[in-house]
């Protein structure tokens, strides 16, 4: 039997992380609009830090079902990071996940009500910005012919040869 999170706990975990993956090397935004204006897409997961069921990764038999379902035992991750964490317990131990959660929640708390910092413009964005003013404009190409001359040691010039 799994001790799954309630919908309220899932919402709390997402909100406390700012709807951003708690893995500090990922930080993917996990929710956004769909084409349908009445819907949103979510790629975030309320993941258990210690497993929801016996036999799962990082199962802690000393936890009660209530402790397993509590938000203290959850972390908000994108689907990719959640899969990595579940499949590689040695690389992602409980202490690391708890540290990620703490850092993500502090970052989200400190960001509430503040303007997001401008991110650096990528090279492709810079090029697109440079091209945009020319879109739809007529451009005439012209070729300029240049005649090269070479000076002789005596100072006289003549055609290249």
């Amino acid at each position: 039997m799994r001790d799954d999170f309630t919908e309220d706990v899932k919402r709390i975990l997402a909100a406390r992380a700012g709807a951003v993956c708690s893995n500090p090397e990922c930080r993917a935004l996990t929710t956004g609009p769909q084409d349908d204006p009445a819907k949103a897409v979510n790629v975030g997961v309320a993941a258990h830090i210690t497993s929801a069921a016996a036999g799962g990764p990082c199962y802690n038999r000393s936890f009660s079902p209530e402790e397993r379902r509590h938000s203290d035992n959850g972390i908000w991750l994108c689907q990719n990071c959640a899969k990595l964490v579940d499949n590689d317990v040695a690389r992602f131990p409980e202490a690391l996940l708890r540290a990620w959660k703490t850092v993500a929640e502090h970052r989200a708390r400190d960001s509430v009500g503040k303007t997001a910092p401008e991110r650096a413009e990528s090279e492709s964005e810079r090029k697109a910005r440079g091209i945009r003013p020319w879109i739809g404009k007529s451009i005439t190409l012209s070729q300029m012919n240049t005649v090269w001359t070479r000076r002789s040691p005596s100072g006289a010039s003549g055609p290249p040869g």
Side-chain angles (χ1 to χ4, degrees):
M1 171 125 180
R2 288 183 51 86
D3 296 315
D4 291 325
F5 296 125
T6 64
E7 290 303 313
D8 282 343
V9 168
K10 292 175 187 179
R11 274 192 296 280
I12 288 167
L13 289 171
R16 290 185 60 84
V20 172
C21 180
S22 296
N23 177 347
E25 293 180 9
C26 175
R27 301 195 61 229
L29 184 62
T30 60
T31 190
Q34 280 189 7
D35 284 343
D36 180 341
K39 294 184 178 180
V41 65
N42 175 46
V43 295
V45 176
H48 284 81
I49 294 174
T50 64
S51 296
C58 294
Y59 182 75
N60 186 335
R61 81 176 93 222
S62 71
F63 277 24
S64 69
E66 292 77 26
E67 288 172 309
R68 275 189 214 92
R69 286 190 290 259
H70 195 274
S71 63
D72 287 344
N73 189 39
I75 183 171
W76 189 253
L77 298 169
C78 70
Q79 291 181 23
N80 290 336
C81 290
K83 182 71 173 161
L84 287 171
V85 165
D86 277 350
N87 289 337
D88 198 347
V89 178
R91 184 174 163 201
F92 304 104
E94 178 183 347
L96 177 64
L97 299 180
R98 293 198 182 279
W100 283 2
K101 178 179 179 171
T102 299
V103 169
E105 289 181 353
H106 282 260
R107 181 180 286 122
R109 182 195 62 215
D110 292 345
S111 298
V112 172
K114 295 181 182 170
T115 302
E118 284 197 36
R119 66 177 182 83
E121 184 178 48
S122 71
E123 185 174 347
S124 61
E125 290 169 326
R126 182 186 57 76
K127 288 177 180 177
R129 185 175 40 80
I131 291 170
R132 235 175 259 121
W134 297 99
I135 295 174
K137 297 209 172 153
S138 178
I139 299 173
T140 304
L141 296 176
S142 62
Q143 183 174 355
M144 189 162 95
N145 291 321
T146 306
V147 176
W148 292 91
T149 59
R150 184 179 343 161
R151 295 198 177 261
S152 70
S154 65
S157 63

